[in-house]
Amino acid sequence: MAVPISQMWTVASYILKKRLSGQKKYPLVLMLEPLFRCNLACAGCGKVQYPPHILKKQLSPEECFHAVEECGVPMVSLPGGEPLLHPQIVEIVNGLVERKKYIYLCTNALELKKRLHEFTPSKYLTFSVHLDGQREHHDMSVCREGGYDIAVEGIKEAVKRGFRVTTNATFFDGTDPNSVRSFFDEVMSMGVEGIVLSPGYSYEKAPDQQHFLGRAKTRRLFRAILSNRKKSWKFNMSPLFLEFLMGKRNYECTAWGSPAYNIFGWQKPCYLLQDGYTDTFQELLDTTNWDEYGTASGNPKCANCMVSCGYEPTAVNAGFGSLSGFFAMAKAAIFSSYKDQGALDLLNNHTTFTAERSHLVKIEGVSLTPQVAQLEETRA
Amino acid sequence: MSQPVHAATPVNVDELEVVDGRAYENLEGWIPELANEADLQNALEKAFDYRGDISLTFKNGETVEAYIFNRQSGKSLADSYVQYFASNALEKRKASYAEIARIEFTGKDRAAGKHWEAWLKKYAEKKAAGETNIALHPEALD
Ligand code: SF4
């Protein structure tokens, strides 16, 4: 695991305190969206589809600090939109660092290199750079040629200047697990602290509505990617959550574990679904019918979800919430090679992905690199 | 009135291979007929889901162009409300369902029409024409 001990200790003692005080529903990470506007227009994103007057709005630093204090989390993720487009993002970050919150600033890194001098390296600040795979995959994913190269320049400069840096990838249907493994080699050689990954979620508002991974395929894909792991790969995630993605564990969603706050208020029930908003965090906890969400609820909107904001809090709670959970987590962190011949077969015996199923080779006449054009399905 | 309760999913979710997203309803330009309470509730539910501005006309004759970001159903129209940002104001506003006389889906649906296929087609055309640095760019905000 790539997470520093001080951060693990902060999270572990926070969970312990909550448990000892008998609190059942408590948040771990605040998804604080200071604005929705972005400098990319990715086809898989459902976050930026708003009228211009909404895209021009943003949270003030005071609103951000108030939200963080209101819910009391130890960690804050700053997604968006693109947080570096917020004119007071430095003030927001500095204020959160002063409050000793572990911050993940999620950026597409188009602006990162030229903005780095405004930030100060700190154990509390991590740049979580959105990178969806190797160059061609990332550029197609963000619908922008050259996006990968700009992001990598930003990563390298941030690493050079002593910042904590992780990469953050979302994988959709058609992902080539071999390419993802090569991608892991590439990003680790850039000197990043660790890798963050997640299966794509079926955003209702995403322009691309046909390429979301179902649970069976997600587990096969992540089994192929994450088994037979190289020692050099470090993940900035709970090892138990990675086992969940590989199909080795079954967890239920802890939607209140990563609450989301933005210009509309506290989002019900989670960062991914919008079933309304509340003005306070307590109201979010009290008025959301949590039984209506998560895979077991039968809610079709949650049916295929295995996304980190719902399931990683479950894994973290499991790891730090009991002795057996702690041993399972320690075991997963130490014995992390996951030797698996079946997973090797998935990587080796892949069949060429059919044109109808592959969004990257769907249009006749589009000739991408052989690596991109040869997409495979990971059938066990 | 209460929020919709979800039926049990009729499939084993753990066996799902690929999941389609939701089909779009083309609501741009729609002016729902508000003959009864159910019509109003249904229209406001769709307005809440719509990623564009809505024109709301109140019973006092005032009209606002607004983005509706929240709705809460209570026991009656009077204690059910929508929350919105008017396009010409900074602060959040709230209106009871009982105040609303007319709803028009006048704003552009920002979630519609930008398909992956459209991007790939554009990409292929530009590539064939010898263009480099091909990209989709966000719409201008002014
Ligand atoms: S299952 Fe996923 S979409 Fe549903 S509430 Fe949990 S995190 Fe949100």
Side-chain angles (χ1 to χ4, degrees), chain A residues 201 253 255 269-270 272-273 293-295 301-302 305 309-311:
Chain A
Y201 173 75
C253 168
C270 73
L272 303 166
L273 291 185
Y293 302 101
T295 314
K301 288 180 181 173
C302 296
C305 180
C309 76
Y311 294 86

Short mmCIF file of all heavy atoms in Angstrom, two decimals, chain A residues 201 253 255 269-270 272-273 293-295 301-302 305 309-311, ligand 1:
data_model
loop_
_atom_site.label_atom_id
_atom_site.label_comp_id
_atom_site.label_asym_id
_atom_site.label_seq_id
_atom_site.Cartn_x
_atom_site.Cartn_y
_atom_site.Cartn_z
N TYR A 201 -18.87 4.25 -13.94
CA TYR A 201 -20.23 4.19 -13.39
C TYR A 201 -21.21 4.69 -14.45
O TYR A 201 -20.89 5.59 -15.22
CB TYR A 201 -20.32 5.08 -12.15
CG TYR A 201 -21.72 5.18 -11.64
CD1 TYR A 201 -22.30 4.12 -10.96
CD2 TYR A 201 -22.49 6.30 -11.91
CE1 TYR A 201 -23.61 4.19 -10.54
CE2 TYR A 201 -23.80 6.38 -11.47
CZ TYR A 201 -24.35 5.32 -10.79
OH TYR A 201 -25.64 5.39 -10.39
N CYS A 253 -22.75 -1.32 -0.28
CA CYS A 253 -22.40 0.09 -0.40
C CYS A 253 -22.51 0.83 0.94
O CYS A 253 -23.43 0.60 1.71
CB CYS A 253 -23.34 0.73 -1.42
SG CYS A 253 -23.28 2.51 -1.43
N ALA A 255 -22.88 4.39 1.28
CA ALA A 255 -23.00 5.64 0.50
C ALA A 255 -22.66 6.87 1.34
O ALA A 255 -22.15 7.86 0.82
CB ALA A 255 -24.40 5.77 -0.08
N PRO A 269 -28.02 10.36 -2.79
CA PRO A 269 -27.41 9.83 -1.59
C PRO A 269 -25.88 9.87 -1.66
O PRO A 269 -25.23 9.69 -0.65
CB PRO A 269 -27.86 8.37 -1.62
CG PRO A 269 -27.85 8.03 -3.08
CD PRO A 269 -28.25 9.29 -3.81
N CYS A 270 -25.33 10.07 -2.89
CA CYS A 270 -23.88 9.91 -3.05
C CYS A 270 -23.39 10.80 -4.18
O CYS A 270 -24.17 11.47 -4.85
CB CYS A 270 -23.53 8.45 -3.33
SG CYS A 270 -23.98 7.92 -4.99
N LEU A 272 -22.48 10.00 -7.04
CA LEU A 272 -22.85 9.54 -8.37
C LEU A 272 -24.31 9.73 -8.72
O LEU A 272 -24.67 9.93 -9.88
CB LEU A 272 -22.52 8.04 -8.51
CG LEU A 272 -21.07 7.67 -8.25
CD1 LEU A 272 -20.92 6.18 -8.08
CD2 LEU A 272 -20.20 8.15 -9.39
N LEU A 273 -25.17 9.60 -7.74
CA LEU A 273 -26.61 9.72 -7.99
C LEU A 273 -27.09 11.07 -7.49
O LEU A 273 -26.59 11.57 -6.50
CB LEU A 273 -27.38 8.64 -7.23
CG LEU A 273 -27.22 7.20 -7.67
CD1 LEU A 273 -28.16 6.32 -6.86
CD2 LEU A 273 -27.51 7.04 -9.15
N TYR A 293 -30.74 2.43 -1.43
CA TYR A 293 -29.54 2.51 -2.26
C TYR A 293 -28.59 1.34 -1.97
O TYR A 293 -28.70 0.70 -0.93
CB TYR A 293 -28.82 3.84 -2.01
CG TYR A 293 -29.72 5.01 -2.30
CD1 TYR A 293 -30.34 5.70 -1.26
CD2 TYR A 293 -30.00 5.38 -3.61
CE1 TYR A 293 -31.20 6.76 -1.53
CE2 TYR A 293 -30.86 6.43 -3.88
CZ TYR A 293 -31.46 7.12 -2.84
OH TYR A 293 -32.31 8.15 -3.11
N GLY A 294 -27.65 1.14 -2.91
CA GLY A 294 -26.73 0.02 -2.79
C GLY A 294 -27.27 -1.14 -3.62
O GLY A 294 -28.47 -1.18 -3.94
N THR A 295 -26.40 -2.06 -3.93
CA THR A 295 -26.78 -3.15 -4.83
C THR A 295 -27.90 -4.00 -4.25
O THR A 295 -28.81 -4.41 -4.96
CB THR A 295 -25.55 -4.03 -5.12
OG1 THR A 295 -24.47 -3.17 -5.41
CG2 THR A 295 -25.79 -4.95 -6.28
N LYS A 301 -30.70 1.91 -10.26
CA LYS A 301 -29.64 2.91 -10.44
C LYS A 301 -28.33 2.47 -9.76
O LYS A 301 -27.27 3.00 -10.06
CB LYS A 301 -30.07 4.25 -9.83
CG LYS A 301 -31.15 4.96 -10.64
CD LYS A 301 -31.49 6.26 -9.94
CE LYS A 301 -32.57 7.00 -10.70
NZ LYS A 301 -33.02 8.19 -9.95
N CYS A 302 -28.43 1.56 -8.80
CA CYS A 302 -27.23 1.10 -8.09
C CYS A 302 -26.79 -0.29 -8.56
O CYS A 302 -25.79 -0.81 -8.05
CB CYS A 302 -27.51 1.02 -6.59
SG CYS A 302 -27.86 2.62 -5.84
N CYS A 305 -23.15 -0.87 -9.75
CA CYS A 305 -22.13 0.01 -9.14
C CYS A 305 -21.12 -0.77 -8.30
O CYS A 305 -21.49 -1.56 -7.43
CB CYS A 305 -22.82 1.06 -8.28
SG CYS A 305 -21.67 2.18 -7.49
N CYS A 309 -16.40 5.32 -4.37
CA CYS A 309 -17.03 6.21 -3.38
C CYS A 309 -18.09 5.48 -2.56
O CYS A 309 -18.38 5.89 -1.43
CB CYS A 309 -17.58 7.47 -4.04
SG CYS A 309 -19.09 7.25 -4.93
N GLY A 310 -18.65 4.39 -3.08
CA GLY A 310 -19.64 3.64 -2.30
C GLY A 310 -19.04 2.45 -1.57
O GLY A 310 -19.47 2.08 -0.47
N TYR A 311 -18.04 1.81 -2.19
CA TYR A 311 -17.57 0.52 -1.67
C TYR A 311 -16.21 0.59 -0.99
O TYR A 311 -15.89 -0.28 -0.18
CB TYR A 311 -17.57 -0.52 -2.80
CG TYR A 311 -18.99 -0.80 -3.26
CD1 TYR A 311 -19.60 -0.01 -4.22
CD2 TYR A 311 -19.74 -1.81 -2.66
CE1 TYR A 311 -20.92 -0.22 -4.59
CE2 TYR A 311 -21.06 -2.03 -3.03
CZ TYR A 311 -21.64 -1.23 -3.99
OH TYR A 311 -22.95 -1.44 -4.34
S1 SF4 C 1 -24.40 1.69 -5.00
FE1 SF4 C 1 -23.15 3.27 -6.04
S2 SF4 C 1 -24.66 4.66 -6.98
FE2 SF4 C 1 -25.75 3.45 -5.41
S3 SF4 C 1 -25.65 4.69 -3.57
FE3 SF4 C 1 -23.91 3.30 -3.51
S4 SF4 C 1 -22.23 4.49 -4.43
FE4 SF4 C 1 -24.14 5.53 -4.97
#
